[in-house]
Amino acid sequence: MMKTSVSFTIKEAYIETGNISINGIRLRRFQEELFDSLGKYSRILLRAPTGSGKTFTLLLGAIKSYLEKNLYPVVGIYPSRALVYDQARSIQETLQRIGFKEGEKNTFVGRLNINGEDKGEISIKINILTSEVKEIPREFQFPTSPSIVFTVPEYPYMFITGMNKQSIASQVLEASMKYSFDEAINALAVRRSDVRDLLNYFSVFFNGYWFIDEFHLYSGISRNSMLTLVEMVEKFNSVIKSNKTIVFSSATPVPINIEKVIEVKTSTEGSKIRGRTKIVFHLVGKNPQENLVNYVPQEYKNRKTAIILDRVYYVAELCNKVNDAAVVWGIDKSFGHCRKVNKDLDKENFIIGNQAISFGIDLDLELGFIHAHDAETLIQRLGRFGRHGDSEVHIFIEAKDKVVRGLKNLVNKEITYDDFLKLIDKIYEKRVDDKLDEIFFSKIRHDVLIRTFSLIYAISQGEQVYNLVKNWYPQKVDELKIRPSYDDYFYVFAYRPGNLTGKWCDGGSDDLFSLIRNFKYREDGCFTNETLRETPGIIPRKLDRVKCSFMQFKEFNENLRPRLVLRKQNYSILMGGMKEFNDSYVVLLTEECVNWKNFSEIAKLVSTYESAVPIYKDEDMKTVIGLALFI
């Protein structure tokens, strides 16, 4: 039941403008500083608020590449494929806005004018590189003009396969898992020209300026994948001795070494990035998401509205309540009165979604209803609103003492955006670091991938680089027992969470863990549309077999004889009889191999967003003794 609400206003926010104008667009001061810093520093941290123009910096990188005639590619890396496509569209629209014309195969051509001086005609190629791209186009292997590449970091494995060279890459990968450097070189019977192709593919796309967006949102094994890819690139660049820069953009400090920090503060004048925002905090007793779902009326007219929740269950519940809405979530179907929408969101007036809508999608949203568990997520979600004008945002939060204290003096006040950020840091918890990037599985993946990259480089370049590459090559590496197939190598070394699927009873399939945590599982092995806030657990018959390890599901089943318990349904099933898990791998974690202060609580937390299930000691399901992470 609603207890109370507190409302106040965030003033319009501006960013200081600079002195440089490109094709009629005046740069902001931080964009000028970044433009000047590219090539001078190896790592730059850009701390800038949402809507400040970070995407435009990719275009600046391409312009710098053109002016310096080095033809470096500019690589933008984003947390999701949806955001890759959204940001690529945004850059294409920006190019058209500054007078460039679209030519063949996503090439944009126009004259470059800086502060009134004609710098000549420039051609910029736009390329999207995700797992949906099966082969790199030939024209990208021999660039004749600057290119901007939009991609995701979830699979450094893909970047060393050339995507259409998996058979060669898998041989190198297998040798990397088994042998020392010299042994691997002797064991590999591959043609040097084939391996050189892999290095050429890598260098075409990643031998340039990098822009890693929203770095603070990467966590666990995904962050490990990102940093492994960064290490590959930096090793590559260390030999070439060229001036390349990796720009990490983040709203909060990040746990990496940085050479230069560019921090963007908002001001009361300059270039406007946010309109006035009315904030309404709804303080509730328990379960803010449920209160939000119950509070929101069926429809809003004449205001572009979005609702952002965490859990699929609450999105589904809301979709059963509304009359009509577009839904953006991890489920691949429409539900209730919501239509699944993948594109043209700018044409929708009422949007409901979860984290899938939070990653930088640039829409003209005026009215919002949001919930977030931590400060970083709240700031990210608020940033979806007020980017193009005034807005109103309702935030639902549990009425803890520090929340009440933090808000009590703000009723009907006006504050700056920076003051609002300080408030959020006070009343919200910080995001919990699950440290999955430090577990044995992450370390082995990192070492094997770096070994693979090292071998590719050594074989491509010849014996003259062997002594150098031996220093790159991680020494003793524990072997992962993986079935020798391209697909299995991809699933394990790409680490694509959500790869396991479950079946809907009315046809189609979806991410297994989204289904099993939010919908009823029928005994015949399919999921109904009945929503449940399920918290699955595993009870093993053989407790002594719960040890830190990596194995095929078949071995996991034989060792533990586990039952999957669905408490909300009062139902359990032997996991060996569930086809959904048959081809998977299991990373089994216990207190002995993770650096968690409270193993039970963090294991439960991780199981809410990863493809993971806690393992309990007994039927009481109170004592967590392990966590099964499925791949």
Side-chain angles (χ1 to χ4, degrees):
M1 191 64 139
M2 195 68 55
K3 289 181 64 175
T4 187
S5 63
V6 175
S7 63
F8 55 89
T9 300
I10 303 174
K11 298 176 183 178
E12 294 175 333
Y14 299 81
I15 287 181
E16 186 180 2
T17 53
N19 299 313
I20 297 176
S21 178
I22 296 180
N23 285 34
I25 293 182
R26 190 176 178 187
L27 299 188
R28 291 160 179 169
R29 183 74 67 190
F30 84 88
Q31 292 170 334
E32 285 185 357
E33 184 179 359
L34 183 62
F35 184 77
D36 183 60
S37 299
L38 289 175
K40 295 181 180 178
Y41 303 91
S42 60
R43 291 184 177 188
I44 295 173
L45 173 62
L46 174 60
R47 294 190 60 187
T50 301
S52 56
K54 288 177 289 185
T55 303
F56 190 75
T57 58
L58 274 75
L59 187 52
L60 296 179
I63 290 171
K64 183 143 190 166
S65 176
Y66 163 79
L67 293 174
E68 296 184 350
K69 296 181 171 55
N70 54 39
L71 297 186
Y72 289 163
V74 177
V75 183
I77 301 187
Y78 299 90
S80 69
R81 281 185 297 186
L83 189 53
V84 162
Y85 290 104
D86 185 75
Q87 296 301 298
R89 178 183 55 80
S90 178
I91 279 288
Q92 290 169 344
E93 291 174 353
T94 299
L95 285 166
Q96 291 172 333
R97 194 166 67 248
I98 65 175
F100 279 54
K101 302 294 184 183
E102 184 173 3
E104 294 183 356
K105 298 180 179 179
N106 295 320
T107 298
F108 290 79
V109 180
R111 298 200 72 80
L112 180 64
N113 188 294
I114 300 179
N115 283 352
E117 183 180 348
D118 188 346
K119 297 291 186 179
E121 187 175 82
I122 175 175
S123 171
I124 297 176
K125 183 88 172 181
I126 305 296
N127 191 48
I128 291 173
L129 179 62
T130 73
S131 59
E132 296 169 343
V133 179
K134 301 305 180 187
E135 185 172 350
I136 299 174
R138 289 287 300 174
E139 65 267 18
F140 272 91
Q141 299 172 35
F142 307 99
T144 56
S145 62
S147 60
I148 302 177
V149 180
F150 293 85
T151 188
V152 288
E154 61 191 355
Y155 27 43
Y157 166 70
M158 187 186 78
F159 300 139
I160 55 177
T161 64
M163 292 178 290
N164 58 345
K165 297 280 186 178
Q166 290 94 333
S167 60
I168 299 296
S170 64
Q171 293 178 56
V172 182
L173 185 64
E174 190 168 6
S176 300
M177 286 191 285
K178 292 181 177 179
Y179 304 124
S180 68
F181 177 80
D182 291 324
E183 290 170 338
I185 291 289
N186 292 329
L188 280 167
V190 291
R191 290 193 305 176
R192 181 175 173 182
S193 59
D194 287 338
V195 179
R196 188 184 289 125
D197 280 345
L198 299 181
L199 188 66
N200 289 341
Y201 281 127
F202 185 90
S203 63
V204 163
F205 284 100
F206 301 104
N207 180 28
Y209 300 126
W210 276 40
F211 293 82
I212 301 174
D213 200 21
E214 311 290 7
F215 184 78
H216 60 285
L217 295 179
Y218 294 103
S219 62
I221 298 173
S222 296
R223 183 165 66 199
N224 177 263
S225 293
M226 163 62 76
L227 293 177
T228 300
L229 187 55
V230 167
E231 186 176 339
M232 288 179 189
V233 169
E234 291 185 330
K235 288 186 186 311
F236 180 82
N237 286 335
S238 70
V239 179
I240 299 174
K241 305 294 184 186
S242 55
N243 298 319
K244 311 291 172 51
T245 299
I246 299 176
V247 180
F248 299 86
S249 83
S250 176
T252 60
V254 294
I256 54 174
N257 294 323
I258 295 293
E259 281 192 340
K260 180 180 177 63
V261 177
I262 299 175
E263 185 153 8
V264 184
K265 294 286 189 181
T266 59
S267 62
T268 56
E269 59 182 15
S271 180
K272 185 176 176 181
I273 63 164
R274 291 189 59 84
R276 287 171 63 84
T277 306
K278 179 181 178 181
I279 298 290
V280 182
F281 270 100
H282 297 271
L283 280 64
V284 302
K286 292 286 183 181
N287 205 331
Q289 289 189 85
E290 188 171 293
N291 278 269
L292 192 162
V293 171
N294 292 332
Y295 177 85
V296 176
Q298 289 194 3
E299 62 181 318
Y300 284 89
K301 294 181 179 178
N302 305 320
R303 300 182 80 179
K304 204 167 187 69
T305 302
I307 300 170
I308 308 178
L309 298 156
D310 279 322
R311 187 160 185 164
V312 166
Y313 167 82
Y314 289 111
V315 176
E317 286 289 281
L318 191 55
C319 284
N320 284 329
K321 285 175 170 274
V322 299
N323 286 336
D324 177 59
V327 66
V328 181
W329 58 347
I331 303 296
D332 194 27
K333 68 183 286 187
S334 299
F335 190 87
H337 304 293
C338 290
R339 296 167 285 104
K340 172 76 174 180
V341 176
N342 294 316
K343 58 182 181 179
D344 295 331
L345 275 174
D346 54 319
K347 297 177 182 178
E348 300 288 343
N349 288 321
F350 189 17
I351 304 167
I352 296 171
N354 58 2
Q355 188 68 352
I357 204 175
S358 300
F359 289 126
I361 296 175
D362 187 8
L363 298 172
D364 189 10
L365 296 172
E366 302 168 90
L367 179 62
F369 299 85
I370 61 180
H371 164 71
H373 281 104
D374 55 68
E376 292 89 342
T377 303
L378 189 282
I379 292 167
Q380 184 73 16
R381 292 181 179 179
L382 181 79
R384 303 307 103 219
F385 303 89
R387 297 162 70 116
H388 302 278
D390 295 348
S391 62
E392 178 180 331
V393 179
H394 294 250
I395 303 170
F396 289 72
I397 187 171
E398 190 174 334
K400 296 179 180 178
D401 287 343
K402 69 174 183 178
V403 175
V404 175
R405 287 196 305 270
L407 294 174
K408 69 179 181 180
N409 295 322
L410 289 178
V411 178
N412 297 328
K413 296 285 183 64
E414 288 193 357
I415 64 173
T416 66
Y417 182 71
D418 285 340
D419 286 338
F420 178 75
L421 296 182
K422 293 174 185 175
L423 168 71
I424 296 307
D425 280 339
K426 286 181 182 178
I427 67 176
Y428 276 87
E429 303 295 333
K430 289 289 184 183
R431 177 174 295 158
V432 175
D433 184 359
D434 57 35
K435 301 184 186 298
L436 290 177
D437 53 342
E438 299 175 8
I439 63 175
F440 70 94
F441 172 70
S442 295
K443 185 179 186 308
I444 294 172
R445 280 180 70 252
H446 163 272
D447 288 352
V448 171
L449 286 166
I450 294 298
R451 277 184 164 205
T452 305
F453 178 74
S454 301
L455 286 175
I456 288 172
Y457 189 85
I459 295 171
S460 300
Q461 303 298 95
E463 294 183 14
Q464 67 270 20
V465 302
Y466 280 12
N467 288 334
L468 167 70
V469 172
K470 282 182 182 180
N471 293 324
W472 295 355
Y473 204 77
Q475 295 305 307
K476 190 175 183 301
V477 175
D478 293 331
E479 185 178 352
L480 294 176
K481 296 178 181 177
I482 302 172
R483 293 178 291 256
S485 75
Y486 308 154
D487 287 344
D488 281 45
Y489 286 145
F490 182 76
Y491 295 143
V492 173
F493 287 98
Y495 184 68
R496 300 190 67 197
N499 182 59
L500 303 185
T501 58
K503 293 182 179 179
W504 290 102
C505 296
D506 57 4
S509 61
D510 255 310
D511 173 67
L512 176 62
F513 287 86
S514 293
L515 294 178
I516 214 163
R517 288 194 285 252
N518 299 289
F519 298 95
K520 185 174 181 179
Y521 185 68
R522 223 163 59 183
E523 293 186 16
D524 57 351
C526 64
F527 291 88
T528 73
N529 286 335
E530 181 180 341
T531 54
L532 286 172
R533 281 189 297 153
E534 187 60 83
T535 51
I538 292 173
I539 298 178
R541 185 181 299 174
K542 299 179 179 180
L543 292 175
D544 61 324
R545 303 288 182 89
V546 181
K547 298 177 181 178
C548 293
S549 50
F550 173 83
M551 65 195 83
Q552 294 178 28
F553 176 76
K554 179 181 179 182
E555 184 182 351
F556 174 76
N557 182 57
E558 290 172 351
N559 285 352
L560 274 66
R561 297 296 178 189
R563 280 188 298 120
L564 182 70
V565 179
L566 303 174
R567 286 179 281 186
K568 291 283 185 181
Q569 298 181 225
N570 194 28
Y571 175 67
S572 70
I573 181 172
L574 289 171
M575 295 185 73
M578 298 180 69
K579 294 181 180 179
E580 295 91 339
F581 292 99
N582 275 355
D583 294 327
S584 67
Y585 292 88
V586 183
V587 181
L588 210 166
L589 302 175
T590 69
E591 286 185 279
E592 283 68 41
C593 60
V594 290
N595 185 23
W596 293 341
K597 291 182 179 178
N598 188 326
F599 180 84
S600 180
E601 289 304 310
I602 299 189
K604 291 176 183 176
L605 174 65
V606 170
S607 71
T608 65
Y609 59 84
E610 290 281 4
S611 303
V613 183
I615 302 173
Y616 291 91
K617 181 180 179 181
D618 51 37
E619 299 284 346
D620 289 340
M621 296 186 74
K622 292 180 179 179
T623 304
V624 178
I625 60 172
L627 181 72
L629 185 64
F630 294 89
I631 297 171

